[in-house]
Amino acid sequence: MRTLNLTSQRQAVYDVVRESNDHPTAADVMNRLMERGYNLAYGTVYNSLRYLTDKELIRELKLGEAASRYDGRMDDHQHVICQVCGRVDEVMSEVPLEWTKEVMAETGYDIAHAHVVFGGVCPECQSKRIR
């Protein structure tokens, strides 16, 4: 059993990430905390995000952008990112077992888990192109 030390600041950060559907950056979390009346230092927010990630309460997503994003969903799922606006959505399709077997055969790794990030253009950005 892991020991948790959820201070009021960490709990506030955790709540923001868990309640977000858009995979917020640390700056997004900071802004949402301010909207809720919290006045936390950036260091506190970053340290809280690191703590929550280390305790596996949230997931840090490094999607090739400058800033990490955070996901409150810990179930097994993938992500798709819009290459125009940066929107990130969840993909609930499982990684095919055949892919995992091929990667293991190619690399010799014993694969424990997979996280696939798809890139494309979201429906909103597609509709803007048509106009």
Side-chain angles (χ1 to χ4, degrees), residues 12-13 15-40 45 69-70:
V13 170
D15 290 344
V16 166
V17 174
R18 288 278 304 157
E19 294 166 9
S20 298
N21 293 321
D22 62 346
H23 306 86
T25 63
D28 294 333
V29 172
M30 185 77 179
N31 291 335
R32 292 171 193 179
L33 287 166
M34 282 192 243
E35 289 171 2
R36 294 179 182 197
Y38 290 93
N39 188 18
L40 302 181
V45 172
R69 291 175 174 256
Y70 296 89

Side-chain angles (χ1 to χ4, degrees), residues 76-78 95 100 111-116:
D76 195 23
H77 63 282
Q78 316 314 312
V95 174
T100 304
I111 303 298
H113 69 276
H115 179 228
V116 177

Side-chain angles (χ1 to χ4, degrees), residues 20-63:
S20 298
N21 293 321
D22 62 346
H23 306 86
T25 63
D28 294 333
V29 172
M30 185 77 179
N31 291 335
R32 292 171 193 179
L33 287 166
M34 282 192 243
E35 289 171 2
R36 294 179 182 197
Y38 290 93
N39 188 18
L40 302 181
Y42 278 104
T44 301
V45 172
Y46 283 106
N47 290 338
S48 295
L49 289 166
R50 173 63 37 226
Y51 178 86
L52 295 167
T53 300
D54 289 348
K55 293 295 183 181
E56 298 180 350
L57 295 173
I58 63 172
R59 184 179 300 169
E60 181 179 13
L61 303 175
K62 297 183 183 205
L63 302 173

Side-chain angles (χ1 to χ4, degrees), residues 100-111:
T100 304
K101 289 179 182 177
E102 288 177 21
V103 171
M104 289 171 61
E106 181 180 324
T107 64
Y109 278 66
D110 181 12
I111 303 298

Side-chain angles (χ1 to χ4, degrees), residues 78-123:
Q78 316 314 312
H79 292 91
V80 60
I81 184 168
C82 179
Q83 295 169 316
V84 177
C85 70
R87 172 178 154 180
V88 177
D89 286 305
E90 281 150 346
V91 177
M92 300 315 293
S93 301
E94 292 183 25
V95 174
L97 182 58
E98 191 60 35
W99 288 10
T100 304
K101 289 179 182 177
E102 288 177 21
V103 171
M104 289 171 61
E106 181 180 324
T107 64
Y109 278 66
D110 181 12
I111 303 298
H113 69 276
H115 179 228
V116 177
V117 179
F118 297 91
V121 180
C122 73

